[in-house]
Protein backbone atom coordinates (compact mmCIF):
# COMPACT_ATOMS: atom_id res chain seq x y z
CA UNK A 1 0.00 0.00 0.00
CA UNK A 2 1.46 3.35 -0.99
CA UNK A 3 2.24 6.15 1.43
CA UNK A 4 -0.72 8.16 0.17
CA UNK A 5 -3.38 5.60 0.85
CA UNK A 6 -2.02 4.65 4.28
CA UNK A 7 -2.01 8.35 5.12
CA UNK A 8 -5.62 8.57 3.97
CA UNK A 9 -6.64 5.63 6.15
CA UNK A 10 -4.94 7.29 9.12
CA UNK A 11 -6.33 10.75 8.68
CA UNK A 12 -9.71 9.87 7.20
CA UNK A 13 -9.83 13.32 5.72
CA UNK A 14 -10.57 13.30 2.04
CA UNK A 15 -8.88 16.57 1.35
CA UNK A 16 -5.74 15.32 3.02
CA UNK A 17 -6.08 12.17 0.93
CA UNK A 18 -6.23 14.17 -2.28
CA UNK A 19 -3.26 16.27 -1.26
CA UNK A 20 -1.05 13.29 -0.50
CA UNK A 21 -2.11 11.52 -3.66
CA UNK A 22 -1.22 14.56 -5.71
CA UNK A 23 2.19 14.61 -4.08
CA UNK A 24 3.05 11.08 -5.18
CA UNK A 25 1.83 11.53 -8.73
CA UNK A 26 3.98 13.12 -11.36
CA UNK A 27 2.55 16.47 -12.45
CA UNK A 28 2.12 15.44 -16.07
CA UNK A 29 -0.39 12.70 -15.20
CA UNK A 30 -3.90 13.72 -16.17
CA UNK A 31 -5.17 12.12 -12.94
CA UNK A 32 -4.03 15.25 -11.10
CA UNK A 33 -6.78 17.28 -12.68
CA UNK A 34 -9.38 14.66 -11.80
CA UNK A 35 -8.43 14.89 -8.15
CA UNK A 36 -8.84 18.66 -8.21
CA UNK A 37 -12.33 18.27 -9.66
CA UNK A 38 -13.46 15.91 -6.92
CA UNK A 39 -11.71 17.33 -3.91
CA UNK A 40 -11.62 21.02 -4.70
CA UNK A 41 -12.67 23.39 -1.97
CA UNK A 42 -16.29 24.29 -1.48
CA UNK A 43 -17.87 20.87 -2.15
CA UNK A 44 -19.52 21.07 1.25
CA UNK A 45 -20.94 24.55 0.82
CA UNK A 46 -22.08 23.66 -2.71
CA UNK A 47 -23.81 20.58 -1.33
CA UNK A 48 -25.71 22.82 1.10
CA UNK A 49 -27.42 24.35 -1.95
CA UNK A 50 -27.88 21.03 -3.77
CA UNK A 51 -31.18 19.56 -4.91
CA UNK A 52 -30.51 16.61 -2.60
CA UNK A 53 -30.40 18.88 0.45
CA UNK A 54 -33.41 20.92 -0.67
CA UNK A 55 -35.38 17.68 -1.00
CA UNK A 56 -34.25 16.63 2.49
CA UNK A 57 -35.40 20.00 3.86
CA UNK A 58 -38.70 19.51 2.08
CA UNK A 59 -39.01 16.01 3.54
CA UNK A 60 -38.36 17.05 7.15
CA UNK A 61 -40.67 20.08 7.01
CA UNK A 62 -43.35 17.96 5.35
CA UNK A 63 -43.10 15.20 7.94
CA UNK A 64 -43.41 17.79 10.76
CA UNK A 65 -46.65 18.95 9.14
CA UNK A 66 -47.87 15.34 8.80
CA UNK A 67 -47.33 14.81 12.55
CA UNK A 68 -49.30 17.98 13.22
CA UNK A 69 -52.09 16.81 10.92
CA UNK A 70 -52.38 13.51 12.80
CA UNK A 71 -52.71 15.38 16.13
CA UNK A 72 -55.16 17.88 14.57
CA UNK A 73 -57.26 15.04 13.18
CA UNK A 74 -57.37 13.35 16.59
CA UNK A 75 -58.58 16.60 18.18
CA UNK A 76 -61.30 17.04 15.54
CA UNK A 77 -62.74 13.62 16.33
CA UNK A 78 -63.53 14.88 19.84
CA UNK A 79 -66.59 16.43 18.18
CA UNK A 80 -68.28 13.10 18.98
CA UNK A 81 -67.78 13.71 22.72
CA UNK A 82 -70.02 16.77 22.58
CA UNK A 83 -69.74 20.51 22.88
CA UNK A 84 -68.27 20.58 26.38
CA UNK A 85 -65.48 18.08 25.64
CA UNK A 86 -64.60 19.71 22.31
CA UNK A 87 -64.47 23.28 23.65
CA UNK A 88 -62.71 21.97 26.77
CA UNK A 89 -60.02 20.38 24.59
CA UNK A 90 -59.59 23.68 22.76
CA UNK A 91 -59.18 25.43 26.13
CA UNK A 92 -56.74 22.73 27.29
CA UNK A 93 -54.49 23.45 24.27
CA UNK A 94 -54.23 27.04 25.54
CA UNK A 95 -53.56 26.08 29.15
CA UNK A 96 -51.21 23.15 28.68
CA UNK A 97 -47.70 23.82 29.98
CA UNK A 98 -48.83 26.36 32.58
CA UNK A 99 -47.36 27.59 34.82
CA UNK A 100 -43.96 26.66 33.35
CA UNK A 101 -45.00 28.41 30.14
CA UNK A 102 -47.35 31.38 29.83
CA UNK A 103 -50.93 30.77 28.69
CA UNK A 104 -51.06 29.71 25.00
CA UNK A 105 -47.27 29.16 25.22
CA UNK A 106 -47.36 25.62 23.84
CA UNK A 107 -49.80 26.70 21.15
CA UNK A 108 -47.47 29.47 20.02
CA UNK A 109 -44.47 27.14 19.95
CA UNK A 110 -46.45 24.80 17.68
CA UNK A 111 -47.57 27.73 15.52
CA UNK A 112 -44.02 29.03 15.08
CA UNK A 113 -42.65 25.56 14.25
CA UNK A 114 -45.46 25.03 11.73
CA UNK A 115 -44.99 28.47 10.17
CA UNK A 116 -41.27 27.86 9.72
CA UNK A 117 -42.03 24.40 8.26
CA UNK A 118 -44.54 25.84 5.80
CA UNK A 119 -42.24 28.65 4.67
CA UNK A 120 -39.22 26.34 4.30
CA UNK A 121 -41.36 23.77 2.45
CA UNK A 122 -42.62 26.43 0.03
CA UNK A 123 -39.15 27.90 -0.50
CA UNK A 124 -37.65 24.48 -1.27
CA UNK A 125 -40.59 23.58 -3.52
CA UNK A 126 -40.32 26.70 -5.65
CA UNK A 127 -36.53 26.49 -5.89
CA UNK A 128 -36.73 22.87 -7.04
CA UNK A 129 -39.64 23.66 -9.36
CA UNK A 130 -37.50 26.36 -10.98
CA UNK A 131 -34.55 23.94 -11.40
CA UNK A 132 -36.81 21.27 -12.82
CA UNK A 133 -38.19 23.70 -15.40
CA UNK A 134 -34.67 24.78 -16.34
CA UNK A 135 -33.67 21.12 -16.76
CA UNK A 136 -36.57 20.41 -19.14
CA UNK A 137 -36.65 23.68 -21.10
CA UNK A 138 -39.80 24.59 -19.19
CA UNK A 139 -41.83 21.68 -20.53
CA UNK A 140 -41.40 18.98 -17.86
CA UNK A 141 -42.61 15.58 -19.03
CA UNK A 142 -44.22 17.20 -22.09
CA UNK A 143 -40.99 18.15 -23.83
CA UNK A 144 -41.33 15.69 -26.71
CA UNK A 145 -42.96 16.50 -30.03
CA UNK A 146 -44.94 13.28 -30.05
CA UNK A 147 -48.32 13.26 -28.37
CA UNK A 148 -48.01 9.54 -27.59
CA UNK A 149 -47.47 8.34 -24.01
CA UNK A 150 -47.47 11.84 -22.56
CA UNK A 151 -48.37 10.44 -19.15
CA UNK A 152 -45.18 8.43 -19.10
CA UNK A 153 -44.90 4.75 -18.36
CA UNK A 154 -45.77 4.32 -14.71
CA UNK A 155 -46.01 7.67 -12.93
CA UNK A 156 -48.98 8.07 -10.60
CA UNK A 157 -51.58 10.83 -10.59
CA UNK A 158 -50.37 11.80 -7.10
CA UNK A 159 -46.77 12.18 -8.25
CA UNK A 160 -47.39 14.55 -11.14
CA UNK A 161 -49.84 16.76 -9.25
CA UNK A 162 -47.49 17.45 -6.33
CA UNK A 163 -46.70 21.05 -7.28
CA UNK A 164 -50.13 22.38 -8.30
CA UNK A 165 -51.74 20.15 -5.66
CA UNK A 166 -49.47 21.79 -3.09
CA UNK A 167 -50.63 25.22 -4.27
CA UNK A 168 -54.27 24.10 -3.84
CA UNK A 169 -53.55 22.82 -0.32
CA UNK A 170 -51.71 26.06 0.54
CA UNK A 171 -54.66 28.23 -0.57
CA UNK A 172 -57.02 25.97 1.37
CA UNK A 173 -54.93 26.40 4.55
CA UNK A 174 -55.32 30.20 4.29
CA UNK A 175 -59.11 29.87 3.82
CA UNK A 176 -59.31 27.32 6.63
CA UNK A 177 -57.38 29.51 9.11
CA UNK A 178 -59.58 32.52 8.27
CA UNK A 179 -62.66 30.33 8.71
CA UNK A 180 -62.27 28.08 11.74
CA UNK A 181 -59.24 29.54 13.54
CA UNK A 182 -59.62 33.30 13.12
CA UNK A 183 -63.45 33.18 12.87
CA UNK A 184 -63.05 35.95 10.26
CA UNK A 185 -64.71 34.20 7.35
CA UNK A 186 -67.76 32.77 9.07
CA UNK A 187 -70.31 31.16 6.77
CA UNK A 188 -73.27 30.16 8.92
CA UNK A 189 -72.38 32.66 11.66
CA UNK A 190 -69.41 33.47 13.91
CA UNK A 191 -69.14 32.05 17.42
CA UNK A 192 -66.73 32.07 20.34
CA UNK A 193 -67.28 28.31 20.71
CA UNK A 194 -65.05 26.24 18.40
CA UNK A 195 -67.70 23.50 18.44
CA UNK A 196 -70.37 25.94 17.31
CA UNK A 197 -68.09 27.33 14.59
CA UNK A 198 -67.73 23.83 13.12
CA UNK A 199 -71.46 23.09 13.32
CA UNK A 200 -72.36 26.48 11.77
CA UNK A 201 -69.86 26.09 8.93
CA UNK A 202 -70.42 22.47 8.02
CA UNK A 203 -74.18 22.81 7.89
CA UNK A 204 -73.70 24.62 4.56
CA UNK A 205 -73.23 22.37 1.51
CA UNK A 206 -70.63 24.46 -0.31
CA UNK A 207 -68.46 24.74 2.80
CA UNK A 208 -68.50 20.94 3.13
CA UNK A 209 -67.80 20.58 -0.60
CA UNK A 210 -64.81 22.95 -0.44
CA UNK A 211 -63.35 20.97 2.45
CA UNK A 212 -63.92 17.64 0.67
CA UNK A 213 -62.14 18.89 -2.47
CA UNK A 214 -59.25 20.31 -0.44
CA UNK A 215 -58.88 17.13 1.61
CA UNK A 216 -58.79 14.97 -1.53
CA UNK A 217 -56.03 17.24 -2.87
CA UNK A 218 -54.24 16.83 0.48
CA UNK A 219 -54.68 13.05 0.32
CA UNK A 220 -53.00 12.88 -3.10
CA UNK A 221 -50.23 15.22 -1.88
CA UNK A 222 -49.56 12.96 1.10
CA UNK A 223 -49.77 9.75 -0.93
CA UNK A 224 -46.70 10.77 -2.90
CA UNK A 225 -45.27 13.16 -0.29
CA UNK A 226 -44.88 10.70 2.58
CA UNK A 227 -43.20 8.08 0.38
CA UNK A 228 -40.89 10.57 -1.32
CA UNK A 229 -40.00 12.22 2.01
CA UNK A 230 -38.56 8.96 3.32
CA UNK A 231 -36.88 8.23 -0.01
CA UNK A 232 -35.34 11.73 -0.10
CA UNK A 233 -33.89 11.14 3.36
CA UNK A 234 -32.24 7.90 2.23
CA UNK A 235 -34.85 5.53 3.64
CA UNK A 236 -35.58 3.66 0.40
CA UNK A 237 -32.91 0.99 0.75
CA UNK A 238 -34.33 -1.88 -1.32
CA UNK A 239 -37.11 -2.89 -3.68
CA UNK A 240 -39.03 -4.32 -0.70
CA UNK A 241 -38.57 -1.08 1.24
CA UNK A 242 -39.86 0.89 -1.76
CA UNK A 243 -43.03 -1.18 -1.62
CA UNK A 244 -43.27 -0.83 2.17
CA UNK A 245 -42.83 2.96 2.13
CA UNK A 246 -45.45 3.29 -0.58
CA UNK A 247 -47.87 1.24 1.51
CA UNK A 248 -47.12 3.42 4.55
CA UNK A 249 -47.82 6.52 2.45
CA UNK A 250 -51.16 5.07 1.31
CA UNK A 251 -52.15 4.29 4.91
CA UNK A 252 -51.16 7.78 6.17
CA UNK A 253 -52.94 9.51 3.27
CA UNK A 254 -56.14 7.48 3.75
CA UNK A 255 -56.06 7.87 7.54
CA UNK A 256 -55.77 11.65 7.29
CA UNK A 257 -58.32 11.90 4.47
CA UNK A 258 -60.96 9.79 6.24
CA UNK A 259 -60.19 11.15 9.73
CA UNK A 260 -60.65 14.75 8.59
CA UNK A 261 -63.68 14.01 6.40
CA UNK A 262 -65.73 12.38 9.16
CA UNK A 263 -66.56 15.52 11.25
CA UNK A 264 -67.77 17.73 8.35
CA UNK A 265 -69.81 14.86 6.87
CA UNK A 266 -71.51 13.83 10.13
CA UNK A 267 -72.32 17.48 10.89
CA UNK A 268 -73.76 17.96 7.40
CA UNK A 269 -75.78 14.77 7.82
CA UNK A 270 -77.17 16.23 11.05
CA UNK A 271 -75.83 13.48 13.32
CA UNK A 272 -73.87 16.03 15.35
CA UNK A 273 -75.62 19.32 16.02
CA UNK B 1 -44.16 -4.66 -43.20
CA UNK B 2 -44.38 -0.97 -44.04
CA UNK B 3 -44.08 1.76 -41.43
CA UNK B 4 -44.17 5.54 -41.45
CA UNK B 5 -41.46 7.23 -39.39
CA UNK B 6 -41.81 10.74 -38.01
CA UNK B 7 -38.38 11.59 -36.82
CA UNK B 8 -36.41 14.58 -35.59
CA UNK B 9 -34.09 16.17 -38.14
CA UNK B 10 -31.69 18.85 -36.98
CA UNK B 11 -28.61 19.80 -38.98
CA UNK B 12 -26.37 20.83 -36.09
CA UNK B 13 -26.42 22.09 -32.53
CA UNK B 14 -27.43 25.62 -33.48
CA UNK B 15 -29.95 24.79 -36.19
CA UNK B 16 -33.68 24.57 -35.54
CA UNK B 17 -35.01 21.04 -35.77
CA UNK B 18 -38.32 19.63 -36.91
CA UNK B 19 -40.17 16.33 -37.24
CA UNK B 20 -39.96 14.88 -40.77
CA UNK B 21 -42.02 11.94 -42.09
CA UNK B 22 -40.55 9.08 -44.13
CA UNK B 23 -42.18 5.90 -45.36
CA UNK B 24 -40.08 2.74 -45.06
CA UNK B 25 -41.12 -0.35 -47.04
CA UNK B 26 -40.10 -3.99 -46.91
CA UNK B 27 -39.28 -4.20 -43.23
CA UNK B 28 -38.96 -7.69 -41.77
CA UNK B 29 -40.46 -8.30 -38.33
CA UNK B 30 -37.14 -9.91 -37.36
CA UNK B 31 -35.18 -6.71 -37.97
CA UNK B 32 -34.02 -4.73 -35.00
CA UNK B 33 -35.17 -1.14 -34.67
CA UNK B 34 -31.73 0.11 -35.68
CA UNK B 35 -31.64 -2.19 -38.73
CA UNK B 36 -34.93 -0.63 -39.75
CA UNK B 37 -33.22 2.79 -39.51
CA UNK B 38 -30.35 1.38 -41.61
CA UNK B 39 -32.91 0.50 -44.30
CA UNK B 40 -34.26 4.05 -44.13
CA UNK B 41 -30.73 5.45 -44.48
CA UNK B 42 -30.05 3.25 -47.52
CA UNK B 43 -33.24 4.63 -49.09
CA UNK B 44 -32.24 8.21 -48.24
CA UNK B 45 -28.69 7.75 -49.55
CA UNK B 46 -29.94 6.18 -52.80
CA UNK B 47 -32.26 9.15 -53.24
CA UNK B 48 -29.38 11.56 -52.64
CA UNK B 49 -30.65 12.78 -49.26
CA UNK B 50 -28.69 13.05 -46.01
CA UNK B 51 -28.96 9.87 -43.93
CA UNK B 52 -30.42 10.19 -40.44
CA UNK B 53 -27.68 10.44 -37.79
CA UNK B 54 -28.25 8.20 -34.76
CA UNK B 55 -25.91 6.87 -32.07
CA UNK B 56 -25.19 3.15 -31.95
CA UNK B 57 -22.26 0.87 -31.36
CA UNK B 58 -22.50 -2.67 -29.95
CA UNK B 59 -26.14 -3.28 -30.92
CA UNK B 60 -26.38 -5.88 -28.18
CA UNK B 61 -27.64 -3.72 -25.32
CA UNK B 62 -24.43 -3.26 -23.35
CA UNK B 63 -22.64 -0.17 -24.63
CA UNK B 64 -25.25 2.47 -23.87
CA UNK B 65 -24.82 4.37 -27.13
CA UNK B 66 -28.30 3.95 -28.61
CA UNK B 67 -30.60 6.69 -27.42
CA UNK B 68 -33.96 6.95 -29.10
CA UNK B 69 -37.22 8.17 -27.65
CA UNK B 70 -39.71 5.99 -29.52
CA UNK B 71 -43.36 7.06 -29.38
CA UNK B 72 -42.55 9.23 -26.35
CA UNK B 73 -40.86 6.45 -24.35
CA UNK B 74 -37.09 6.34 -23.93
CA UNK B 75 -35.85 3.13 -25.63
CA UNK B 76 -39.38 2.36 -26.80
CA UNK B 77 -42.30 0.30 -25.59
CA UNK B 78 -40.49 -2.83 -24.34
CA UNK B 79 -39.35 -2.78 -20.70
CA UNK B 80 -35.69 -3.40 -19.82
CA UNK B 81 -34.71 -3.17 -23.48
CA UNK B 82 -32.29 -0.76 -25.14
CA UNK B 83 -33.35 0.70 -28.50
CA UNK B 84 -30.92 -1.62 -30.30
CA UNK B 85 -32.51 -4.72 -28.74
CA UNK B 86 -35.99 -3.66 -29.75
CA UNK B 87 -37.36 -5.66 -32.68
CA UNK B 88 -39.83 -4.66 -35.35
CA UNK B 89 -42.15 -7.51 -34.32
CA UNK B 90 -43.24 -5.22 -31.47
CA UNK B 91 -44.78 -2.91 -34.10
CA UNK B 92 -47.51 -3.46 -36.63
CA UNK B 93 -47.71 -3.05 -40.38
CA UNK B 94 -48.82 0.49 -41.18
CA UNK B 95 -47.76 1.96 -37.81
CA UNK B 96 -46.60 5.54 -37.54
CA UNK B 97 -43.58 5.61 -35.24
CA UNK B 98 -42.32 8.87 -33.69
CA UNK B 99 -38.57 8.95 -33.04
CA UNK B 100 -36.84 11.74 -31.11
CA UNK B 101 -33.51 12.28 -29.40
CA UNK B 102 -33.11 12.46 -25.59
CA UNK B 103 -34.39 15.91 -24.68
CA UNK B 104 -32.48 17.71 -21.94
CA UNK B 105 -30.70 21.06 -22.04
CA UNK B 106 -27.76 19.21 -20.44
CA UNK B 107 -27.63 16.87 -23.47
CA UNK B 108 -27.35 19.27 -26.44
CA UNK B 109 -28.48 17.77 -29.76
CA UNK B 110 -25.47 17.48 -32.08
CA UNK B 111 -27.35 16.26 -35.17
CA UNK B 112 -30.70 14.56 -35.78
CA UNK B 113 -30.99 11.90 -33.08
CA UNK B 114 -27.49 12.25 -31.60
CA UNK B 115 -27.02 14.08 -28.30
CA UNK B 116 -23.85 15.04 -26.44
CA UNK B 117 -23.77 13.09 -23.17
CA UNK B 118 -20.41 14.34 -21.90
CA UNK B 119 -22.23 15.75 -18.85
CA UNK B 120 -22.23 12.12 -17.63
CA UNK B 121 -18.47 11.86 -18.19
CA UNK B 122 -17.94 14.94 -16.02
CA UNK B 123 -20.09 13.46 -13.22
CA UNK B 124 -17.91 10.32 -13.32
CA UNK B 125 -14.79 12.49 -13.44
CA UNK B 126 -15.91 14.32 -10.31
CA UNK B 127 -15.92 11.21 -8.14
CA UNK B 128 -16.77 8.00 -9.95
CA UNK B 129 -13.49 6.25 -9.18
CA UNK B 130 -11.43 4.91 -6.30
CA UNK B 131 -7.91 6.10 -5.62
CA UNK B 132 -5.92 2.86 -5.66
CA UNK B 133 -2.17 2.39 -5.42
CA UNK B 134 -0.59 1.01 -8.58
CA UNK B 135 1.98 -1.76 -8.62
CA UNK B 136 1.69 -5.52 -8.50
CA UNK B 137 -1.80 -7.01 -8.53
CA UNK B 138 -3.03 -7.35 -4.94
CA UNK B 139 -3.75 -10.79 -3.51
CA UNK B 140 -7.28 -11.74 -4.54
CA UNK B 141 -8.30 -12.67 -0.99
CA UNK B 142 -6.61 -9.69 0.70
CA UNK B 143 -9.86 -7.77 1.00
CA UNK B 144 -12.95 -9.90 1.56
CA UNK B 145 -16.21 -8.61 0.09
CA UNK B 146 -19.48 -9.92 1.54
CA UNK B 147 -21.66 -11.53 -1.14
CA UNK B 148 -24.50 -9.09 -0.38
CA UNK B 149 -22.22 -6.08 -1.00
CA UNK B 150 -20.77 -7.60 -4.15
CA UNK B 151 -24.29 -8.20 -5.50
CA UNK B 152 -25.34 -4.67 -4.60
CA UNK B 153 -22.28 -3.19 -6.30
CA UNK B 154 -22.94 -5.30 -9.38
CA UNK B 155 -26.61 -4.27 -9.52
CA UNK B 156 -25.38 -0.67 -9.66
CA UNK B 157 -22.41 -1.31 -11.94
CA UNK B 158 -24.60 -2.68 -14.75
CA UNK B 159 -25.68 0.91 -15.52
CA UNK B 160 -24.63 1.45 -19.14
CA UNK B 161 -24.83 5.24 -18.87
CA UNK B 162 -27.21 5.66 -21.80
CA UNK B 163 -29.12 8.59 -20.26
CA UNK B 164 -32.64 7.18 -20.68
CA UNK B 165 -33.29 8.15 -17.03
CA UNK B 166 -32.78 11.82 -17.93
CA UNK B 167 -34.83 11.50 -21.10
CA UNK B 168 -37.79 10.03 -19.21
CA UNK B 169 -37.62 12.16 -16.05
CA UNK B 170 -40.29 14.90 -15.84
CA UNK B 171 -37.72 16.87 -13.81
CA UNK B 172 -34.82 16.19 -16.21
CA UNK B 173 -32.92 14.60 -13.33
CA UNK B 174 -29.90 12.33 -13.71
CA UNK B 175 -30.08 11.03 -10.16
CA UNK B 176 -30.59 7.39 -11.21
CA UNK B 177 -27.34 7.45 -13.20
CA UNK B 178 -25.46 9.36 -10.48
CA UNK B 179 -26.91 7.15 -7.74
CA UNK B 180 -25.92 3.98 -9.59
CA UNK B 181 -22.38 5.19 -10.19
CA UNK B 182 -21.93 6.32 -6.57
CA UNK B 183 -23.45 3.09 -5.18
CA UNK B 184 -21.36 0.87 -7.44
CA UNK B 185 -18.21 2.09 -5.67
CA UNK B 186 -19.70 2.99 -2.29
CA UNK B 187 -21.02 -0.55 -1.71
CA UNK B 188 -17.51 -2.05 -1.79
CA UNK B 189 -14.80 -1.86 0.90
CA UNK B 190 -12.37 -0.30 -1.60
CA UNK B 191 -14.80 2.57 -2.12
CA UNK B 192 -15.32 3.48 1.54
CA UNK B 193 -12.42 5.96 1.93
CA UNK B 194 -13.88 8.37 -0.59
CA UNK B 195 -17.54 7.51 -0.02
CA UNK B 196 -18.45 10.88 1.52
CA UNK B 197 -16.41 13.09 -0.79
CA UNK B 198 -17.64 11.04 -3.77
CA UNK B 199 -21.29 11.61 -2.84
CA UNK B 200 -20.75 15.37 -2.45
CA UNK B 201 -18.63 15.77 -5.57
CA UNK B 202 -20.86 13.69 -7.85
CA UNK B 203 -24.04 15.23 -6.44
CA UNK B 204 -22.62 18.73 -6.93
CA UNK B 205 -21.47 17.97 -10.47
CA UNK B 206 -24.95 16.58 -11.22
CA UNK B 207 -26.48 19.91 -10.20
CA UNK B 208 -23.77 21.95 -11.93
CA UNK B 209 -24.56 20.18 -15.23
CA UNK B 210 -28.09 21.58 -14.95
CA UNK B 211 -29.96 18.35 -14.22
CA UNK B 212 -33.09 18.70 -12.06
CA UNK B 213 -33.77 17.18 -8.65
CA UNK B 214 -35.39 13.81 -8.02
CA UNK B 215 -39.01 13.77 -6.87
CA UNK B 216 -39.12 9.96 -6.60
CA UNK B 217 -41.62 9.51 -9.43
CA UNK B 218 -39.82 6.47 -10.83
CA UNK B 219 -40.19 7.07 -14.59
CA UNK B 220 -36.43 6.50 -14.87
CA UNK B 221 -36.60 2.96 -13.50
CA UNK B 222 -39.48 2.16 -15.84
CA UNK B 223 -37.39 2.91 -18.94
CA UNK B 224 -33.94 1.85 -17.69
CA UNK B 225 -32.73 -0.84 -20.13
CA UNK B 226 -30.81 -2.67 -17.38
CA UNK B 227 -33.28 -2.22 -14.52
CA UNK B 228 -31.34 -0.01 -12.10
CA UNK B 229 -33.64 0.20 -9.04
CA UNK B 230 -34.88 3.47 -7.54
CA UNK B 231 -33.15 2.79 -4.20
CA UNK B 232 -29.82 3.80 -5.82
CA UNK B 233 -31.09 7.40 -5.66
CA UNK B 234 -32.08 7.11 -2.02
CA UNK B 235 -28.67 5.66 -1.26
CA UNK B 236 -26.97 8.70 -2.85
CA UNK B 237 -29.31 11.02 -0.91
CA UNK B 238 -28.33 9.23 2.30
CA UNK B 239 -24.62 9.43 1.47
CA UNK B 240 -24.81 13.18 0.73
CA UNK B 241 -26.70 13.85 3.98
CA UNK B 242 -24.29 11.66 5.92
CA UNK B 243 -21.29 13.48 4.41
CA UNK B 244 -22.80 16.82 5.44
CA UNK B 245 -23.47 15.57 8.99
CA UNK B 246 -19.98 14.19 9.48
CA UNK B 247 -18.16 17.27 8.23
CA UNK B 248 -15.73 15.10 6.32
CA UNK B 249 -14.84 17.40 3.44
Amino acid sequence: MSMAVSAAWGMAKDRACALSLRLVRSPDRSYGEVMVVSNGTGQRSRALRSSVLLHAVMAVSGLIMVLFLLAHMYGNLKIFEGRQAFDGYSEYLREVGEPLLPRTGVLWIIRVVLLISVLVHIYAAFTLWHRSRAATAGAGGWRYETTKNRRGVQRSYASFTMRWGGVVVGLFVIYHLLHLSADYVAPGGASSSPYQRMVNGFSIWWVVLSYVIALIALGFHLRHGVWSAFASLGGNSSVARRRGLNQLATVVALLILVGFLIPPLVIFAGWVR
Amino acid sequence: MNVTLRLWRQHDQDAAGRMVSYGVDGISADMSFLEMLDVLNEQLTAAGDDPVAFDNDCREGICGMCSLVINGIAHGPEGRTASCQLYMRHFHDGDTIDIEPWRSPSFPILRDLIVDRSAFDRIIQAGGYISAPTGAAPDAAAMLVPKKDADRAFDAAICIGCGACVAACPNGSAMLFTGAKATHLGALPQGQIERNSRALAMGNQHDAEGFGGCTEIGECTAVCPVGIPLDMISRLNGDVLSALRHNST
Side-chain angles (χ1 to χ4, degrees):
Chain A
M1 193 176 270
S2 79
M3 283 284 289
V5 173
S6 18
W9 275 110
M11 285 184 269
K13 288 276 181 191
D14 294 329
R15 205 174 293 163
C17 167
L19 188 67
S20 34
L21 278 169
R22 231 176 282 145
L23 286 174
V24 296
R25 282 194 171 120
S26 57
D28 56 337
R29 291 267 184 91
S30 57
Y31 287 109
E33 203 185 318
V34 176
M35 298 310 296
V36 174
V37 169
S38 81
N39 285 301
T41 52
Q43 291 290 7
R44 199 181 150 77
S45 55
R46 281 170 69 196
L48 289 173
R49 295 186 300 274
S50 66
S51 299
V52 170
L53 194 82
L54 280 170
H55 274 292
V57 161
M58 214 147 154
V60 171
S61 56
L63 290 175
I64 289 172
M65 291 189 273
V66 169
L67 290 178
F68 166 76
L69 282 177
L70 289 169
H72 183 4
M73 179 192 82
Y74 171 77
N76 282 7
L77 293 173
K78 286 193 177 289
I79 195 98
F80 290 106
E81 285 189 66
R83 180 189 304 269
Q84 210 172 357
F86 192 84
D87 288 355
Y89 176 68
S90 160
E91 182 57 25
Y92 161 80
L93 290 177
R94 281 151 183 81
E95 289 167 358
V96 64
E98 278 188 298
L100 185 64
L101 293 169
R103 187 181 149 77
T104 70
V106 169
L107 208 56
W108 273 106
I109 290 170
I110 295 172
R111 282 171 180 164
V112 169
V113 169
L114 284 175
L115 187 66
I116 292 170
S117 299
V118 169
L119 293 178
V120 157
H121 201 74
I122 291 172
Y123 168 77
F126 276 94
T127 307
L128 290 165
W129 195 344
H130 176 75
R131 288 185 190 178
S132 165
R133 284 183 62 81
T136 55
W142 289 48
R143 59 191 184 273
Y144 292 95
E145 295 286 321
T146 183
T147 50
K148 295 172 186 169
N149 297 302
R150 281 222 153 146
R151 292 202 156 187
V153 182
Q154 59 101 60
R155 81 186 80 155
S156 63
Y157 182 77
S159 72
F160 70 79
T161 52
M162 285 302 278
R163 291 175 181 136
W164 285 108
V167 171
V168 169
V169 172
L171 292 174
F172 164 73
V173 167
I174 295 170
Y175 158 66
H176 171 62
L177 289 176
L178 290 173
H179 174 210
L180 287 172
S181 302
D183 203 18
Y184 180 76
V185 175
S191 168
S192 60
S193 155
Y195 181 91
Q196 196 60 45
R197 287 209 286 273
M198 267 180 94
V199 172
N200 289 352
F202 294 135
S203 302
I204 302 167
W205 69 269
W206 60 264
V207 176
V208 175
L209 185 67
S210 67
Y211 273 71
V212 169
I213 291 169
L215 284 170
I216 289 172
L218 176 66
F220 278 119
H221 199 73
L222 292 179
R223 170 60 189 84
H224 188 73
V226 171
W227 132 255
S228 59
F230 286 111
S232 294
L233 292 172
N236 174 27
S237 53
S238 66
V239 174
R241 185 62 67 85
R242 179 182 181 180
R243 193 161 46 239
L245 287 174
N246 272 295
Q247 285 164 350
L248 174 74
T250 306
V251 169
V252 170
L254 280 177
L255 185 71
I256 287 180
L257 175 66
V258 173
F260 274 108
L261 274 180
I262 288 171
L265 292 180
V266 293
I267 290 170
F268 189 66
W271 297 343
V272 169
R273 55 182 75 236
Chain B
M1 59 197 274
N2 305 327
V3 290
T4 304
L5 302 179
R6 286 180 68 237
L7 50 80
W8 187 257
R9 300 297 315 250
Q10 180 171 337
H11 191 264
D12 57 50
Q13 198 170 330
D14 302 318
R18 64 195 177 93
M19 297 294 274
V20 180
S21 288
Y22 299 100
V24 190
D25 303 337
I27 299 294
S28 151
D30 294 328
M31 280 184 181
S32 77
F33 201 80
L34 300 189
E35 284 165 343
M36 182 274 294
L37 288 179
D38 292 340
V39 172
L40 168 70
N41 278 345
E42 280 171 12
Q43 284 182 16
L44 289 176
T45 308
D49 288 336
D50 270 350
V52 177
F54 61 94
D55 258 334
N56 69 104
D57 190 20
C58 74
R59 297 203 176 193
E60 53 186 18
I62 55 172
C63 77
M65 280 303 281
C66 56
S67 47
L68 302 175
V69 173
I70 301 162
N71 288 338
I73 301 174
H75 287 309
E78 286 295 296
R80 292 190 74 155
T81 304
S83 308
C84 63
Q85 290 286 292
L86 184 66
Y87 286 87
M88 291 311 292
R89 57 178 165 269
H90 298 299
F91 297 89
H92 302 101
D93 188 32
D95 274 0
T96 298
I97 306 171
D98 296 344
I99 310 171
E100 293 175 69
W102 290 171
R103 289 197 192 277
S104 158
S106 306
F107 288 161
I109 296 171
L110 299 177
R111 189 186 175 102
D112 296 340
L113 302 169
I114 295 183
V115 297
D116 175 1
R117 284 169 282 187
S118 41
F120 273 13
D121 297 338
R122 290 188 292 272
I123 292 176
I124 295 289
Q125 196 183 17
Y129 54 83
I130 60 162
S131 299
T134 54
D139 180 30
M143 194 176 276
L144 298 177
V145 181
K147 177 77 166 75
K148 203 165 144 264
D149 293 349
D151 286 350
R152 178 88 170 143
F154 193 77
D155 284 347
I158 56 173
C159 168
I160 55 178
C162 64
C165 42
V166 177
C169 179
N171 298 307
S173 178
M175 282 295 279
L176 192 69
F177 166 80
T178 312
K181 294 304 175 190
T183 303
H184 151 211
L185 300 167
L188 294 170
Q190 293 91 333
Q192 295 307 310
I193 311 173
E194 290 153 309
R195 184 166 167 186
N196 283 342
S197 61
R198 175 183 307 117
L200 292 187
M202 293 181 82
N204 286 339
Q205 193 64 35
H206 170 278
D207 285 11
E209 295 295 344
F211 294 114
C214 170
T215 57
E216 311 289 348
I217 289 173
E219 277 298 304
C220 50
T221 56
V223 299
C224 178
V226 292
I228 299 291
L230 199 57
D231 46 82
M232 299 291 169
I233 295 177
S234 206
R235 163 109 179 187
L236 177 60
N237 289 336
D239 279 0
V240 168
L241 297 176
S242 167
L244 286 173
R245 270 202 309 279
H246 294 116
N247 195 16
S248 59
T249 43

